[in-house]
Amino acid sequence: MTQLPIEPELVVTTALDDTVVVLRLNRPHRLNALNESLVTALETALAEAVREGRRAVILTGTGRAFCAGFDLKEVRDDGGRRQIDAQQRLAEALTSLPIPVIAAINGLAVGAGCEIALACDFLLAGSDAEFSLPEVLIGTGMGGGTSFLLARTVGRVKASDFVLLGEQITAAEADAIGLVSRVVEPDHLEAAAQELASKLASRPPHAIATVKKALFRGLNQTFTESLDAELTEIRAAHFHPESVALMESFRHRSTRT
């Protein structure tokens, strides 16, 4: 088996303050292409963000790419099974994380790179970003829950156009089909992500966690099931100490106006 080179820190973690942390994929020599080690490092960093009480995470890439998918040049002696399992775990970690994750797309988001961005809560794209899901071009299938998330994000017809052709699209085209939250100038991308993260961090964390969970839960429920689940969630949130304080403050403001 080919000996792989020892790589530097695979995920660079930068705490902006007590509430917001930036996780930067750090394999620029491979356009931040995923391998098992990078996925494990990212899973660890996400879990650590929760343990440290962070309220928002910014996920971005080092260099000129967000992530160029899985590293197909690495030796795989199991038909790619470990890579596939790693990607599925990462998608589950991102979508189930109780804090919001902002994908700041700098440059290329290809294959699994596009797919992990889709599993985030916000997709901010630099105007020079480019997206593609080229699985059909290399004879494979989608991963990371994309078969579930993509059509629910952009609609089945637009999803078919994007995936079945496998062609690269620009940030403006991604914005037009609803794939990204917003597009900003490349030199403003990190500042825009930090501004959004700060806004999210100012919201009650238990409410953010409840609503994020509800959004993903509701993707696969009937309307009646969603109503029942919402009732349980609202009752639980209503009696949370922070909610009680916020509602009391709101009532006082309403009385004075």
Side-chain angles (χ1 to χ4, degrees), residues 55 98-99 200 203-213 233-234 236-247:
R55 294 190 175 194
I99 54 180
L200 291 166
R203 273 50 170 177
H206 73 281
I208 288 283
T210 297
V211 172
K212 173 174 175 173
K213 182 179 179 180
E233 290 162 354
I234 291 170
H238 185 80
F239 293 103
H240 190 282
E242 192 168 3
S243 292
V244 172
L246 286 168
M247 286 187 279

Side-chain angles (χ1 to χ4, degrees), residues 18-173:
D18 291 339
T19 60
V20 178
V21 64
V22 179
L23 304 181
R24 195 180 301 275
L25 305 179
N26 192 39
R27 297 187 74 218
H29 61 292
R30 298 293 301 144
L31 297 180
N32 301 318
L34 298 177
N35 58 16
E36 293 174 69
S37 297
L38 177 52
V39 169
T40 299
L42 183 52
E43 288 177 303
T44 300
L46 290 169
E48 186 66 20
V50 174
R51 282 195 298 271
E52 292 178 347
R54 307 294 180 188
R55 294 190 175 194
V57 172
I58 298 170
L59 178 61
T60 192
T62 301
R64 60 190 181 91
F66 174 73
C67 176
F70 261 108
D71 196 335
L72 300 180
K73 289 191 175 182
E74 290 206 357
V75 176
R76 297 183 299 172
D77 56 7
D78 64 346
R81 177 60 186 268
R82 290 195 302 274
Q83 284 191 339
I84 296 167
D85 288 345
Q87 184 184 1
Q88 306 304 74
R89 288 198 322 269
L90 181 54
E92 178 67 24
L94 287 166
T95 55
S96 64
L97 207 71
I99 54 180
V101 182
I102 302 164
I105 312 298
N106 56 308
L108 294 173
V110 177
C114 183
E115 291 164 354
I116 63 171
L118 189 62
C120 295
D121 302 289
F122 296 85
L123 278 75
L124 300 189
S127 58
D128 60 347
E130 294 178 308
F131 300 81
S132 65
L133 290 172
E135 281 84 350
V136 295
L137 303 181
I138 58 174
T140 185
M142 297 181 294
T146 305
S147 61
F148 181 86
L149 293 172
L150 183 62
R152 288 167 171 80
T153 301
V154 304
R156 184 188 61 80
V157 173
K158 291 296 184 183
S160 296
D161 192 301
F162 185 34
V163 175
L164 297 182
L165 291 173
E167 295 175 343
Q168 193 163 278
I169 64 173
T170 65
E173 290 169 328

